[in-house]
Amino acid sequence: MTTTSTTTGATRHAWLTLVAMTGSLSMIMLDQTVVTVALPTMTRELPLTASGQQWVVNAYVLAMAAMVALGGKLGAKIGPVTTFRLGVTVFFVASAFCGLAPAGSFGEEWMIIARAVQGVGAALMMPASATIVMDAFPVAVRGRAMAVYVGISQIFLAIGPLLGGALTEWVSWRAVFWLNVPVGLLALVLVARAKPDNMRRPSLRIQPVSAALMIAGLALSVYAIQQSSQWGWGSPATLGLLAVGVVITGFFVWTQTRSDEPLVDVRLFVRKAFSGNLVVLFAVQFGLLAIVLFSTLYVQDLLGYSPIMAGVAALPLIIPIAIGAQLAGRWYDRSGVRGPVLTGLLIATVGVVLWALSLSRLEYGIQVPGMIIAGLGLGLIFSPVNTDALGRVTAADRAQASGIVQTIRQLGGTLGVAIIGAVVLAREHTGTIAAHHSLNPKAEILYSSADAIAVGFYGAAIALVLAAIAGWFLLSRERITEDAAGAPPAV
């Protein structure tokens, strides 16, 4: 291994680059949750059908999950900066079209198509932005840089309901999308000023058949998972579509092992340290996205909070995530990935369990300690696993590795919402039936719903425990001190 920089500091251009990349990732994370609060108003004005409401959310996630690995490969071929600029432009133009969606018969189709294009833009931006940040900073301070990059984006993921509620209530639901236009333009200006490296490998070939197989396999699998809440996990439609998606994905992986120029270098998964970070990230995202979703529904549907107050209520989770991320970045720079991640998983598990235990009381105040503990633990996890995963590969493989990381992240969150959501809905349905036979059905329904959400939280806690077990055996004990010049270590 060789060192790319002998300094421990970073240039002014590197920090400008970080600001640009952090803003772009925050847009992507924000759009995963901000739209849900605006949906009721959008439904009345466009209007949207029940199926249309679901697809306004799902089209974005589906397109992003299916395309993000391809975005990583494209970043390696034409350069991460070029790919980032393309992704930002696609994203904010699609956002503007979302805000311009016409009322009437074509409004629903317009919005769904624009949301899917947004997802494509996000798929180009995400792996490229992480690669650009890693390349802009020397090894000694990458942990701190990635802590800002990942930590702030996680905050925007959580404050989506607050910002969406405020814009919808005080301005317009269309402002939720128009906000991305100035942010995207500012990101392009900052990148132009910072001039980050744009390492290209134009000789790389992207096989159209391989790309089609990957997109089809991932899209069908994610679609089946998303629709499972509507169709049921045991329905022929869910099982059939999921089976087709898995078979196509499996065939794609097989073709990659035999290809001299694979679209996705599956040999990266053989490296224990790289795969260990992916397993942890998948499991944590599996639990986190479900927690964010159901905690928002809990305070609005069961406690009667307005969308804005629901966002304020999330602050005891959001602020510790930001604090934990900054602590984790410095900890990672000093000692590597195991310390902050394993500690964070332990703390987050305790916090989620305490939070779950308090849900049945239907009182917000007693939930705050669990939220704070869970947020601090989660903040210790994300930036180290992202930084370490990308640090385990060579600079030439980093764009592709970043695409793989983001694909795993999307699949983990999507699967978590689907599975934990199915458990919560089944438990809620059983409780509602029993409540109708009680003396006070309305109160019993509230308590049964709270208990159902608590069961979902316990499911998220189990995912964190499994992540800790996997991390103990798979995460590297070796701290990265130099950039990989050839093949990265397998430890």
Side-chain angles (χ1 to χ4, degrees), residues 280-422:
V280 170
L281 183 61
F282 178 90
V284 174
Q285 197 72 9
F286 181 100
L288 174 63
L289 221 57
I291 288 173
V292 170
L293 172 63
F294 285 105
S295 62
T296 302
L297 294 175
Y298 176 94
V299 294
Q300 291 188 73
D301 295 345
L302 305 187
L303 301 186
Y305 284 22
S306 68
I308 295 176
M309 287 306 300
V312 173
L315 289 177
L317 176 68
I318 296 167
I319 295 173
I321 285 178
I323 295 171
Q326 302 315 304
L327 295 174
R330 288 165 171 77
W331 194 346
Y332 175 83
D333 286 336
R334 290 195 308 270
S335 61
V337 70
R338 286 179 66 88
V341 171
L342 294 178
T343 303
L345 287 167
L346 176 62
I347 294 172
T349 302
V350 172
V352 170
V353 170
L354 289 176
W355 193 356
L357 289 170
S358 68
L359 292 174
S360 61
R361 294 276 298 275
L362 292 175
E363 296 177 16
Y364 172 73
I366 62 172
Q367 299 174 37
V368 171
M371 295 172 71
I372 292 173
I373 295 170
L376 181 61
L378 290 168
L380 291 174
I381 299 167
F382 285 105
S383 66
V385 294
N386 276 272
T387 308
D388 199 68
L390 299 185
R392 297 285 164 185
V393 301
T394 63
D397 289 330
R398 196 163 285 150
Q400 184 174 182
S402 183
I404 293 172
V405 168
Q406 297 305 331
T407 300
I408 293 297
R409 184 187 198 123
Q410 294 301 318
L411 290 176
T414 301
L415 192 61
V417 168
I419 293 178
I420 292 177

Side-chain angles (χ1 to χ4, degrees), residues 139-187:
V139 172
V141 293
R142 274 184 189 157
R144 275 168 276 183
M146 290 295 285
V148 174
Y149 172 77
V150 175
I152 292 179
S153 66
Q154 288 297 319
I155 292 173
F156 275 89
L157 177 69
I159 68 171
L162 171 61
L163 185 57
L167 290 174
T168 301
E169 190 169 322
W170 295 335
V171 186
S172 166
W173 65 264
R174 298 177 186 275
V176 168
F177 299 103
W178 289 334
L179 182 65
N180 291 328
V181 176
V183 175
L185 289 171
L186 179 60

Side-chain angles (χ1 to χ4, degrees), residues 80-125:
V81 177
T82 303
T83 307
F84 174 78
R85 286 172 172 155
L86 177 61
V88 170
T89 303
V90 170
F91 189 86
F92 78 69
V93 170
S95 297
F97 272 90
C98 287
L100 294 170
S105 58
F106 188 54
E108 179 172 294
E109 290 79 4
W110 177 298
M111 178 61 72
I112 292 171
I113 292 170
R115 286 286 285 165
V117 177
Q118 265 193 311
V120 173
L124 296 173
M125 290 161 61

Side-chain angles (χ1 to χ4, degrees), residues 194-205:
K195 298 182 177 63
D197 290 337
N198 190 34
M199 183 191 301
R200 294 183 294 272
R201 296 168 65 189
S203 61
L204 284 177
R205 289 190 302 157

